[in-house]
Amino acid sequence: MDATSPSSQNRPFSIKLWPPSQSTRQVLVDRMINNLTTKSIFTEKYGTLSKEDAEENAKYIEDKAFSTADQHHEKEPDGDGGSAVQLYARECSKLLLEVLKGGRISKDKKLTSLNDIASHETFFDISKGQRAFIEAAEAEELLKPLKEPGNSYSKICFSNRSFGLEAAQVAEPILASLKSQLKDVDLSDFVAGRPEAEALKVMNIFAEALEGTVLKSLNLSNNALGEKGVRAFRALLKSQAQLKELYLMNDGISEEAARAVSELIPSTEKLRILHFHNNMTGDEGAVAIAEVVKRSPLLEDFRCSSTRIGSEGGVALSEALGTCTYLKKLDLRDNMFGVEGGIALSKALSKHSDLTEVYLSYLNLENEGAIAIANSLKESAPSLEVLEMAGNDITAAAALALAATIESMKLLTKLNLAENELKDEGAIQISKALAGHSQLNEVDMSTNLIRRAGARLLAQTVVQKPGFKLLNINGNYISDEGIDEVKDIFKKTPDILGSLDENDPEGEDADDDEESGDGEGDEDELGSKLKNLEVGPVD
């Protein structure tokens, strides 16, 4: 990246060596696989492994080494991560040698030298099976493994089972005894069907029992929290200074509850994932959540979809997102940002060079907002893999800007522009932009007033791509002849052509009202005019 780019100017001037990226971790795994399967002075002495065993061992070693180094880094959070990297490398080397000496991992055997670690489960989960109430006696039986001396449970999931007051009192001392080892806690959907007063008491019991745990992940989704529920978790939330993942989805979080969230989680400097889907936050609530986002400079994955946010809240949230220059995944679907919110968002996106997934469907962006965002992504996010902008009232007038952006994204795997009004002109421009995308596997251009020419070129563009999975062009105005042509194009791979049962071959848009005939000649003429179309930037 150019040192003078917007992204580099907005990032803190410091080098963080920990944690390593996922690609770096995979490179290390690949190297260990190679070491375990090829001849060397070590394998000549101890023997090589099959590729399958080597892969299993390498993944296990890397995961254990990463966990050890990450725990070390948590104790020294203000360092640059150099000591964690050194420990990570030492642990990998040590465990690799143990494997070579005969401590191989098989499907029914853990690494011999790690029996004291691997003999216990680390994930305790009671969420499987039917959704049901849980009372004291059942809680005693279900939670018995958590009372075993020396257990290694670091992750618990109590979702899908509704705790009553007596069951919560059974869980309280057990959870308190695990404070030093718990890292991931899932309390989603754990008071369903309980009266409000009882549910709030249960939440308070769990919160106080878990107060002071050093959690990396906390999930409180699907609990209809509201402001009272958020405040019932006060003790737990206030104590979480190291939290990396927070999930508050489908919690009935209003403006007041959003303010409570912002108030009770004052430290989110380490937060990487924040999911806030399906709440009733509104504009004022969005302003409160924006404060949380501003305090989360390391945020990588932000979801704030279906939260009733309008233009004012969209602008506030977008401005806050401008501070999160490490963002990789953004999901703002199903809000009402409008043009103003879209333009504000485009300015924030110009600072996000690491984006891989962007979900901006049903934001009421219209052409102006969509073009602003497209132009911004073209300059800032060349590595984008998923782009969704369905249902934004985008017409063919914005297609050139979208096509220019799409053409620049050579790693694109999924494109969704459904429920717009791109027509044949837009479909043909988008098709040409997708021509060189070898990793593309899904395109949704359904319900876009597309007719024969646009459908034909879309089909021809994607049918030859290796690994392509689905083209959805349903709900358009493709003639019977056009349908036959498209089906013929996919005759060798019919499964990757989506259903066409909602296509309307008689459909007409406003542009066709004054035209005679079935319009097929006009479509062919349009295809001819756009044959040599070049995709370029649009201001």
Side-chain angles (χ1 to χ4, degrees):
M1 181 188 298
D2 189 334
T4 62
S5 69
S7 286
S8 61
Q9 289 176 351
N10 282 275
R11 291 179 187 245
F13 189 71
S14 63
I15 298 174
K16 290 290 185 182
L17 302 177
W18 191 264
S21 66
Q22 200 60 44
S23 59
T24 298
R25 295 178 65 182
Q26 186 58 48
V27 166
L28 185 57
V29 170
D30 292 341
R31 286 178 181 172
M32 287 192 288
I33 293 171
N34 184 61
N35 288 337
L36 292 168
T37 56
T38 58
K39 288 185 178 181
S40 67
I41 57 174
F42 293 104
T43 55
E44 284 181 4
K45 182 176 181 179
Y46 300 115
T48 59
L49 274 64
S50 69
K51 185 174 181 181
E52 181 181 1
D53 283 346
E55 288 178 353
E56 192 170 1
N57 277 273
K59 290 176 182 177
Y60 181 80
I61 290 169
E62 191 281 330
D63 184 63
K64 285 295 178 186
F66 178 84
S67 179
T68 300
D70 200 44
Q71 289 176 17
H72 168 80
H73 183 62
E74 289 295 333
K75 297 175 183 177
E76 300 180 349
D78 296 327
D80 64 0
S83 61
V85 170
Q86 292 176 359
L87 179 59
Y88 179 53
R90 287 199 303 271
E91 286 295 303
C92 282
S93 298
K94 182 182 75 174
L95 298 177
L96 185 65
L97 186 58
E98 292 290 343
V99 167
L100 288 170
K101 287 180 177 180
R104 296 175 177 82
I105 308 162
S106 63
K107 291 181 180 178
D108 55 1
K109 177 184 176 183
K110 294 296 182 185
L111 188 62
T112 305
S113 64
L114 296 176
N115 273 342
D116 58 329
I117 297 174
S119 60
H120 296 291
E121 294 289 337
T122 60
F123 182 26
F124 181 78
D125 185 5
I126 62 172
S127 67
K128 304 296 185 284
Q130 280 190 324
R131 194 163 179 252
F133 287 109
I134 177 173
E135 305 301 339
E138 188 181 2
E140 286 277 7
E141 186 64 28
L142 274 176
L143 305 183
K144 191 178 294 183
L146 294 177
K147 299 169 68 175
E148 293 179 1
N151 76 75
S152 298
Y153 291 113
S154 60
K155 180 178 181 179
I156 58 173
C157 178
F158 286 180
S159 180
N160 204 42
R161 305 300 293 271
S162 179
F163 279 75
L165 187 57
E166 292 182 356
Q169 290 167 342
V170 169
E172 182 178 14
I174 298 173
L175 293 175
S177 71
L178 299 174
K179 281 186 179 183
S180 63
Q181 64 194 61
L182 286 178
K183 298 297 179 185
D184 301 299
V185 171
D186 185 344
L187 298 179
S188 60
D189 192 25
F190 85 122
V191 289
R194 301 290 180 181
E196 181 184 279
E198 182 180 19
L200 291 172
K201 289 179 181 178
V202 170
M203 292 176 190
N204 189 255
I205 288 172
F206 273 76
E208 292 185 355
L210 293 168
E211 181 182 8
T213 52
V214 184
L215 297 180
K216 293 182 180 179
S217 176
L218 177 61
N219 190 343
L220 300 178
S221 301
N222 302 309
N223 283 314
L225 294 176
E227 182 185 8
K228 291 180 182 178
V230 172
R231 295 195 181 281
F233 277 108
R234 176 187 179 88
L236 175 59
L237 293 173
K238 290 283 283 185
S239 67
Q240 297 310 304
Q242 304 295 319
L243 204 61
K244 293 183 178 180
E245 301 179 16
L246 177 61
Y247 303 90
L248 294 168
M249 299 184 287
N250 194 30
D251 272 331
I253 294 182
S254 61
E255 171 189 333
E256 294 77 11
R259 288 200 186 105
V261 170
S262 182
E263 171 194 331
L264 297 176
I265 313 180
S267 177
T268 56
E269 292 181 358
K270 296 183 181 296
L271 204 64
R272 261 68 167 195
I273 300 175
L274 176 59
H275 282 196
F276 202 73
H277 167 71
N278 198 29
N279 286 297
M280 48 186 186
T281 313
D283 281 345
E284 293 300 321
V287 172
I289 297 304
E291 291 301 314
V292 178
V293 173
K294 286 179 184 177
R295 299 195 299 263
S296 310
L298 301 180
L299 200 63
E300 297 177 1
D301 181 349
F302 181 58
R303 184 181 185 187
C304 194
S305 49
S306 302
T307 47
R308 306 183 186 181
I309 297 175
S311 180
E312 181 183 349
V315 170
L317 205 54
S318 296
E319 291 175 351
L321 286 168
T323 66
C324 304
T325 55
Y326 294 93
L327 204 63
K328 296 178 180 177
K329 183 177 179 180
L330 177 63
D331 186 348
L332 299 172
R333 284 175 287 190
D334 190 24
N335 286 298
M336 291 295 289
F337 277 36
V339 173
E340 186 179 357
I343 292 173
L345 182 59
S346 72
K347 295 175 182 177
L349 294 177
S350 68
K351 303 171 184 178
H352 296 155
S353 60
D354 295 331
L355 279 171
T356 58
E357 299 179 39
V358 173
Y359 302 89
L360 304 177
S361 297
Y362 309 105
L363 291 178
N364 199 31
L365 297 174
E366 301 181 19
N367 284 346
E368 188 177 354
I371 289 173
I373 287 172
N375 288 339
S376 182
L377 290 174
K378 181 177 181 292
E379 298 300 323
S380 65
S383 299
L384 204 65
E385 297 173 11
V386 178
L387 177 61
E388 291 197 8
M389 295 181 71
N392 275 304
D393 295 323
I394 304 171
T395 72
L400 190 59
L402 287 173
T405 297
I406 291 164
E407 186 182 44
S408 70
M409 297 170 177
K410 299 303 182 184
L411 301 181
L412 199 66
T413 62
K414 180 179 179 181
L415 176 66
N416 183 356
L417 296 173
E419 296 186 48
N420 285 300
E421 299 179 6
L422 290 167
K423 301 185 180 179
D424 273 11
E425 181 181 352
I428 291 171
Q429 291 181 17
I430 299 300
S431 297
K432 290 182 177 291
L434 292 172
H437 290 55
S438 60
Q439 298 187 41
L440 193 69
N441 58 50
E442 185 174 338
V443 172
D444 191 341
M445 291 282 287
S446 59
T447 318
N448 259 293
L449 310 180
I450 296 171
R451 303 183 70 177
R452 181 179 178 181
R456 185 172 58 223
L457 188 55
L458 277 168
Q460 292 169 340
T461 300
V462 304
V463 70
Q464 298 297 333
K465 293 187 181 296
F468 193 81
K469 297 177 182 178
L470 178 65
L471 172 65
N472 184 3
I473 50 174
N474 204 8
N476 284 302
Y477 294 164
I478 310 168
S479 66
D480 291 335
E481 292 82 357
I483 293 292
D484 290 340
E485 283 182 341
V486 169
K487 288 183 176 179
D488 187 60
I489 291 170
F490 286 97
K491 63 184 177 183
K492 293 182 179 179
T493 53
D495 291 343
I496 67 176
L497 176 62
S499 172
L500 294 167
D501 59 353
E502 294 181 9
N503 179 67
D504 181 6
E506 304 299 326
E508 292 183 343
D509 56 61
D511 291 339
D512 296 322
D513 287 343
E514 297 179 2
E515 295 174 356
S516 58
D518 62 6
E520 299 301 339
D522 298 306
E523 289 174 2
D524 289 334
E525 182 181 354
L526 175 61
S528 177
K529 287 181 179 179
L530 293 172
K531 183 177 181 181
N532 298 314
L533 176 73
E534 293 183 2
V535 177
V538 171
D539 294 326

